[in-house]
Every structure is written in structure tokens, then in C-alpha cells.
Amino acid sequence: EIARLKQVMLEAENALTYRLYQGYGQVITFQEVSGHEVIEPPQYESALNELIGAIEAGNEPESLEALGRLFDNIRSQYGYPSAAVSFLESVAERIEQIVPAAANGALCQNDFRFDTLDLEDSKGVLESRVILLAQRFCRLAQSKDFIMCQRMIDFLKLHLNQPIGIPEISESIGISSSLASQLFKQETGETIYNYLTRLRIDRASELLLKTGDRISDIALMVGYQHENSFIRSFRKIKDITPGKYRDMMRTRLEFPLE
């Protein structure tokens, strides 16, 4: 039956995700993993914040230790593979959010998929990025232009919910608007406007997933006075509307088979 075939395919795909824990080169049956229960949802946020902080501080040893603790948490808590993969994707996304200021966007292209890797290979992929980024931040930490650019980025993050522009941003570090634009482009490879838009959409994505707030309210929370402007910007960045993004991500995290 077509319905049964579809069910079997879903079961096979579900079982295959357990290679994350069990590795490659073996058969994993659905019956073997269908009884997997998780008492409490895994909590990784503190480990992730430690990782990002160590990278931005340019401390390679601490960055690798934080990444190791993060993977230790994933192994020990043994959550659903789908949830672990989703988290690893969010780790890569968080790392990419700090890439432009350190590497002019050179690391933004993903050439792998976590849902095809086991934990050890996933860790190896992230280790290579963490090492490169920590080293670049370390070299750039003493750069005057870099420090001024970071101050502008900090200002952007603190005022995402306000209708700020280049005059307010440049004034926050005491330089002219033209110099601020030039310096920001030089250090990040992006315009101030594009960077701010991306920060707002990233924050909006979190709010769409973690809250039940209306889209119009979320638009205001990330600095858009008009819902339609927010929807246009969101669709330009994510290639999907906010409402469809919320539905898609929440459906993805439910995993009814598990």
C-alpha cells in the first residue's frame, strides 16, 4: 500500500538519523530506536554561549574546550538525533553570524550537512571553523579599525528594536557617517544597512520559533514600524515569509515519529 510504503520510508529515515550516535557502516532498525525516550529536553545554550564568547575573545584553547564540552553534553544527554542535528545547525549559524567581522564572509558557505555525519565528524567540521575564527579574532583584536567596527556592531545589537540609522551609529563611536560606512565595509565586507537587516532577521527568526507573538509585534521588536516592510525584508533574507518559516521550523522540531 502507498500509505504503508510512505510510513516505512519515514521509519527508515528516522532510524538512519541514529548514525549520529552509532556511526556508519551498520544497519539500524526502526524497532531498535523507536522506544528511545527523552525525559527532559537537552539544554545546550550555556555551552554555546561559552563557545561564542571564547571565539570572539580570540582564545583558541578555550574555544576548543568549550566545543568539547558542548559535544560531551550532546553525547551524555542522548537526545533525539533530529534535535541534536537541529542544534548543531544552530551552532554553525551562530558561528557564521560572527564570521563577517573576522573573515570578511570567507567561511559563510556550508559544504556539508550535519544530518549525514556522526558526532565525531560533526565535531571535526566545527573544530576547523572554530580554530580559524579564534585565530583571526586574536590577530584582529588589537586593530583600531576592528575595535571601532565591533563597537558599531555592539551598538546595532543593543538597538535592534529602534529605528536607528548611520548617523546614530557613527555618533555612537564619535566619527563621521561617511567614515563609519567606509570602515564598516572594510572590516566586514558588508554595508551597515545590510548587516543591521541581517541581525534583525536573525533575531526575528528566534522570536518566531521561541514565542507565540504575532508577526506584527515581532516586527516592532526588531525595529520595523510596518509589518509589510518586515515581511519583505524577511523574505529577501530567508526566501520565505515569517509565517511559513514559523510553521516549517515548528513542524520540523515536532518529529511525531519520535
Side-chain angles (χ1 to χ4, degrees):
E1 298 178 16
I2 296 299
R4 178 56 185 156
L5 178 61
K6 182 178 179 181
Q7 178 70 16
V8 170
M9 291 295 292
L10 289 173
E11 291 177 356
E13 183 179 357
N14 177 270
L16 186 59
T17 63
Y18 279 82
R19 66 184 159 196
L20 180 78
Y21 296 112
Q22 299 185 26
Y24 315 115
Q26 59 182 303
V27 174
I28 305 172
T29 67
F30 178 70
Q31 289 74 18
E32 180 183 349
V33 299
S34 61
H36 179 192
E37 295 183 4
V38 178
I39 299 175
E40 295 181 1
Q43 300 295 323
Y44 308 119
E45 196 64 27
S46 61
L48 176 54
N49 290 335
E50 289 178 7
L51 172 62
I52 298 300
I55 293 173
E56 291 181 326
N59 191 321
E60 181 182 336
E62 285 192 9
S63 297
L64 292 176
E65 288 178 9
L67 185 66
R69 287 193 295 272
L70 189 150
F71 273 86
D72 287 343
N73 287 344
I74 295 176
R75 288 190 185 92
S76 64
Q77 295 184 14
Y78 194 63
Y80 292 131
S82 49
V85 166
S86 179
F87 172 69
L88 290 173
E89 290 172 349
S90 72
V91 172
E93 185 176 348
R94 281 283 298 276
I95 290 175
E96 288 174 2
Q97 289 173 11
I98 64 173
V99 164
N104 291 328
L107 302 180
C108 285
Q109 297 300 317
N110 286 333
D111 53 1
F112 62 91
R113 287 176 48 182
F114 286 113
D115 60 356
T116 67
L117 304 176
D118 66 7
L119 271 180
E120 201 58 36
D121 285 345
S122 297
K123 182 180 179 183
V125 166
L126 289 176
E127 275 184 345
S128 63
R129 292 190 172 208
V130 165
I131 290 171
L132 181 56
L133 275 176
Q135 290 174 348
R136 294 197 181 210
F137 268 106
C138 185
R139 290 195 299 269
L140 291 169
Q142 301 305 315
S143 164
K144 180 181 178 181
D145 287 349
F146 173 73
I147 292 173
M148 294 181 72
C149 182
Q150 285 300 120
R151 288 173 58 194
M152 283 192 280
I153 291 174
D154 290 341
F155 183 84
L156 295 180
K157 291 178 178 179
L158 286 172
H159 297 84
L160 285 182
N161 62 336
Q162 300 175 18
I164 56 174
I166 294 178
E168 292 80 12
I169 297 166
S170 59
E171 184 180 346
S172 71
I173 60 170
I175 61 177
S176 67
S177 295
S178 59
L179 180 58
S181 297
Q182 177 184 341
L183 186 151
F184 199 93
K185 178 74 172 180
Q186 166 191 308
E187 293 296 316
T188 69
E190 294 187 69
T191 66
I192 294 176
Y193 174 77
N194 286 344
Y195 196 97
L196 176 59
T197 299
R198 187 163 56 81
L199 285 178
R200 283 173 165 163
I201 298 307
D202 287 341
R203 176 58 179 156
S205 299
E206 293 179 11
L207 293 170
L208 286 165
L209 186 58
K210 296 179 180 179
T211 75
D213 294 334
R214 296 181 305 176
I215 290 176
S216 58
D217 292 333
I218 290 176
L220 290 173
M221 292 178 195
V222 295
Y224 286 90
Q225 303 303 305
H226 303 288
E227 183 179 352
N228 288 340
S229 298
F230 166 65
I231 293 174
R232 283 195 298 270
S233 294
F234 193 97
R235 188 167 188 171
K236 183 176 181 180
I237 298 292
K238 296 288 190 179
D239 200 29
I240 192 173
T241 64
K244 289 183 179 179
Y245 176 85
R246 170 180 269 169
D247 293 341
M248 178 186 72
M249 294 302 293
R250 287 186 172 177
T251 299
R252 181 179 179 183
L253 292 175
E254 285 177 1
F255 301 104
L257 278 175
E258 298 174 335

